[in-house]
Amino acid sequence: MKTINYLAICLMFGGLLTVDGAFAQGAVADYKRANAFGETTRNKVFYAPTAFSWLEDQQRLWYVHETPAGRRFIFVDASKKQKAEAFDHAKLATALAMASDEVVDADSLPFYSIAYKGTNRIEFDAYGKVWSANLADYKVSDTGRKPEPRGRRGYWGNREENESREIPSPDSNWVAYIKNHNVYIRERGDGKDEIQLSYDGALGHHYSSQIAWSPDSKKLAVNKVRPNTPHKIYFVESSPSAQLQPILQERNYLKPGDALPQSQPVLFLLESKQSVPIDPERIPNQYSISRLEWREDSRAFTFEYNQRGHQRYEVMSVDANNGEVKALITETSKTFVEYSGKKYRKDIHDGQEIIWASERDGWNHLYLYDGQTGKVKNQITKGEWVVREVAYVDEEHRYIIFAGSGKEAGQDPYFIQYYRVNFDGSGFRPLTTEDGNHRASFSSDFSTFVDTYSRVDAPPVSVLRSATDGNILFELEKADASALLATGWKYPEVFHAKGRDGETDIWGVVIRPSNFDPNKSYPVIENIYAGPQGSFVPKNFGTQQGMAALAELGFIVVQIDGMGTSNRSKAFHDVCWKDLKDAGFPDRILWMQAAAQRYTYMDLGRVGIYGTSAGGQNAAGAVLFHPEFYKVAVSSCGCHDNRMDKMWWNEQWMGYPIGPQYAECSNVVNAHKLEGKLMLIVGEVDDNVDPASTMQVVDALIKANKEHELVVLPGAGHTSGGEYGEKKRRDFFVKYLLGVDPPVWEGQKAVF
């Protein structure tokens, strides 16, 4: 079947086609639906709690959800299999109104969280205060405390040490501290005489303030650090709110290839005042070593060594009597060891055994090690599926509760299910099996758990289960999405097709507008994020607001997890290594072609793509490396050259040392290949991805005489653009995929 180029026809006739059943997408009515989507669909799903809070050491919990009558807090006694409203909402609203002198709506209380302080007393935050409510007589009082501050913590790149910090010994008789770059101790209390333990510390080779006392208070373990040269990035905040003049900002920001600090653990024996340094040849070319942690019996301390390049990762043990170093676990890979997302270690009975996660057989599984010899005792889990997370380890009864995916035949391989297995691999049993993505919230003793499961095309169900056999104890809630469906919202469709190897299923979702007409032709827009650190296609029920609102303008919107992303086999993941420009594009294109074969209204002659951060790199890369397929791209705060972005993320996937693969994958180096339309969005003070990365793409595009659009957001950090960026993104796709001039808004009225 020949693909009709509706964009060319639109441009030929000067705009919007409305004759003979042709499409009328991108019209004012479509914009109004898209802009109102969030409000139209808000609070239209009932009985769908998103979090469950267990009371410590009790078989009781609470949750909050929306009902047709309003927001309600529910209290559950799991042992009695009973649930009821946690309190009389009307009485509490009246009491809070009297105490606060505010208008309080019982159906929309001004808080979403409570803390039980006894059988009949709760506390909650509202109106900038912490309130206490007695549920016996409904008296509400101001505790005099302020709510704990919430919000963003400091910049992720800051790592400052406090040299003057004193670390008390476990027996409380001593303190240890760093002074003049060396290690000192002194007696606590009135003790004034200090004892200097090291003499070789200096400004360029100092001892770290992260001092680790042995539990018997007779030894210390401290890292001696040779620091690196900092790498700073700079940007100008052009329009600060506090002053007229711009502000120059700077951040410590290591990039691929930069020098790293090198640490050398040192053992100090307090009785003999001896120091025993660890041979640095045992831990060369470090990316990092972890904190030094003592065994409970003080026989040794351990640390984890990550060799730069992330192809060797080891758990090291240091004998506390003589400083002898032994590798308990050695993990190697010809590509990368994913230390940042799949590493799991649990020391059993003070390190007599170790539970360890590894992809050595091609799938992420658990292994049991002898903690003394470093030998593998047995593989705990195995098969062509993956362990996603360990929820609980019972050392006494020797079993593990964990989350896995890909084991249940006939299900989406990304769906999380929960399982239980013994240390020796026996007694394997599923705790959940329903066809959906499961999220568990366990009681403090891990005997029971709330299981909430859903799919993008099935609203959530929440049940209480036994953590011994998975039996359902009773149903808590079953979501009702009828009010959402009444707005015209449509369920996303789950679709899978074969990838580049002709064997592996690639999974994604298809989102259609609420006024979808199969007799029309729709451009396709892909929402891309191909970061290797995870998988990104939604699996839980939700309105998918961003993609669904974009679809309202007259598009089919899709999201796909191609090869190179995580949570499948090691081979599936390794596709990304040293080749981030791949981004799973061969799989994504095949997936869309298969979808278009089934659904002929998907016009693959008009394909757009957008993404943020790593997705911004991917979106721009689509029109550079695959212009035969992708015609229009919007790229937000992309890490366009992996040499310009943060070290930890890029070296893990692109390798070390820096080689030609970095330039080969660079959107800057390859900017001259641009075909089609490209919009770049960037915040001027982005301290996650250096905004200079985007500006270097712009510079290369200008030098290559390539047309493009640039949107710089003053004062903005790492962002897809916020409300203004969303408007620009929608207009760009409407103009270049639909061939329609976007409306100009005058007040509340949109006009062409």
Side-chain angles (χ1 to χ4, degrees), residues 42-51 62-75 84-93 96 103-114 124-127 477:
R42 183 175 293 116
N43 295 337
K44 293 297 191 297
V45 179
F46 303 122
Y47 311 111
T50 58
W62 65 267
Y63 58 87
V64 60
H65 63 179
E66 295 292 332
T67 75
R71 190 183 317 128
R72 294 292 183 267
F73 288 79
I74 306 298
F75 186 81
E85 288 192 6
F87 45 78
D88 187 313
H89 290 64
K91 287 183 178 180
L92 185 59
L96 178 59
V103 176
V104 182
D105 182 355
D107 295 328
S108 184
L109 292 169
F111 53 89
Y112 289 85
S113 179
I114 57 178
F124 53 87
D125 299 351
Y127 309 122
E477 302 292 347

Side-chain angles (χ1 to χ4, degrees), residues 224-264:
K224 189 180 181 187
V225 181
R226 186 178 297 280
N228 61 312
T229 301
H231 185 147
K232 292 184 180 293
I233 61 171
Y234 301 89
F235 28 72
V236 174
E237 184 181 359
S238 64
S239 310
S241 58
Q243 65 185 56
L244 174 64
Q245 297 301 323
I247 298 173
L248 176 65
Q249 296 196 22
E250 66 177 45
R251 300 284 192 276
N252 290 319
Y253 191 107
L254 291 181
K255 296 184 177 183
D258 284 347
L260 280 169
Q262 299 294 293
S263 297
Q264 179 185 24

Side-chain angles (χ1 to χ4, degrees), residues 118-191:
T119 304
N120 288 312
R121 189 167 69 87
I122 61 172
E123 290 186 354
F124 53 87
D125 299 351
Y127 309 122
K129 298 179 179 181
V130 178
W131 303 89
S132 175
N134 188 321
L135 301 182
D137 57 12
Y138 284 90
K139 289 184 178 179
V140 173
S141 59
D142 180 357
T143 66
R145 305 196 312 271
K146 297 291 185 183
E148 291 292 327
R150 297 185 179 92
R152 182 182 177 184
R153 294 180 293 177
Y155 165 61
W156 61 268
N158 287 339
R159 297 290 187 273
E160 295 183 0
E161 289 195 352
N162 182 1
E163 186 176 278
S164 63
R165 190 167 61 110
E166 295 186 344
I167 312 298
S169 61
D171 64 9
S172 300
N173 292 329
W174 298 86
V175 293
Y177 52 96
I178 304 299
K179 178 180 175 181
N180 297 327
H181 314 296
N182 280 293
V183 182
Y184 287 75
I185 60 171
R186 64 172 174 79
E187 291 188 69
R188 296 192 73 179
D190 295 331

Side-chain angles (χ1 to χ4, degrees), residues 430-744:
L431 299 179
T432 64
T433 56
E434 292 84 356
D435 187 10
N437 197 43
H438 293 250
R439 292 174 294 166
S441 174
F442 290 88
S443 61
S444 59
D445 65 357
F446 285 85
S447 64
T448 53
F449 67 102
V450 176
D451 171 31
T452 298
Y453 59 93
S454 69
R455 301 192 306 263
V456 293
D457 56 357
V461 175
S462 297
V463 298
L464 186 71
R465 291 184 185 269
S466 163
T468 300
D469 53 23
N471 285 342
I472 295 177
L473 304 178
F474 76 107
E475 184 177 285
L476 294 175
E477 302 292 347
K478 188 172 184 178
D480 178 4
S482 57
L484 175 63
L485 292 168
T487 68
W489 178 87
K490 289 179 167 48
Y491 287 111
E493 179 189 350
V494 178
F495 185 80
H496 61 87
K498 298 302 180 184
R500 69 186 79 179
D501 60 2
E503 298 179 0
T504 305
D505 283 331
I506 304 299
W507 289 73
V509 293
V510 180
I511 295 176
R512 301 171 176 85
S514 61
N515 65 346
F516 170 71
D517 181 350
N519 295 312
K520 292 182 178 180
S521 177
Y522 291 86
V524 178
I525 298 177
E526 181 182 356
N527 173 15
I528 190 169
Y529 189 96
Q533 77 271 18
S535 53
F536 307 98
V537 173
K539 302 300 174 185
N540 297 319
F541 180 81
T543 62
Q544 313 306 334
Q545 180 171 335
M547 291 187 285
L550 180 59
E552 289 299 297
L553 294 173
F555 302 110
I556 300 294
V557 181
V558 302
Q559 189 171 7
I560 309 156
D561 279 318
M563 290 186 183
T565 53
S566 189
N567 298 322
R568 299 285 289 274
S569 69
K570 176 65 170 164
F572 188 102
H573 200 185
D574 279 349
V575 168
C576 74
W577 191 58
K578 292 189 175 182
D579 193 13
L580 285 181
K581 75 177 186 305
D582 179 279
F585 281 124
D587 313 301
R588 297 169 187 277
I589 293 170
L590 287 170
W591 186 96
M592 282 184 265
Q593 289 171 339
Q597 277 191 316
R598 177 181 294 184
Y599 305 119
T600 56
Y601 49 76
M602 293 175 63
D603 181 3
L604 297 192
R606 297 179 291 156
V607 178
I609 189 168
Y610 71 98
T612 299
S613 195
Q617 177 183 13
N618 306 145
V623 289
L624 301 182
F625 300 110
H626 299 277
E628 76 290 347
F629 189 81
Y630 295 96
K631 306 304 181 184
V632 183
V634 178
S635 166
S636 299
C637 58
C639 40
H640 296 287
D641 188 309
N642 300 104
R643 296 167 294 188
M644 286 288 293
D645 191 29
K646 63 193 77 64
M647 174 190 288
W648 77 265
W649 194 88
N650 292 274
E651 282 193 7
Q652 184 166 196
W653 318 119
M654 289 295 289
Y656 175 86
I658 308 306
Q661 70 272 18
Y662 278 82
E664 292 166 3
C665 290
S666 169
N667 291 344
V668 178
V669 174
N670 292 283
H672 65 279
K673 298 178 180 178
L674 175 64
E675 297 181 29
K677 303 297 181 180
L678 172 63
M679 173 183 282
L680 298 156
I681 299 175
V682 66
E684 69 176 0
V685 291
D686 185 351
D687 57 13
N688 186 317
V689 173
D690 189 344
S693 183
T694 296
M695 302 311 291
Q696 289 179 359
V697 174
V698 172
D699 180 56
L701 290 171
I702 292 171
K703 289 175 179 175
N705 198 28
K706 295 289 184 177
E707 289 297 318
H708 62 281
E709 291 193 26
L710 172 65
V711 178
V712 179
L713 302 169
H718 197 60
T719 178
S720 58
E723 184 176 343
Y724 183 74
E726 183 64 32
K727 175 184 179 299
K728 296 291 289 185
R729 183 163 39 252
R730 292 177 183 178
D731 287 354
F732 199 70
F733 286 134
V734 165
K735 181 175 181 179
Y736 290 112
L737 289 178
L738 293 177
V740 176
D741 287 332
V744 176

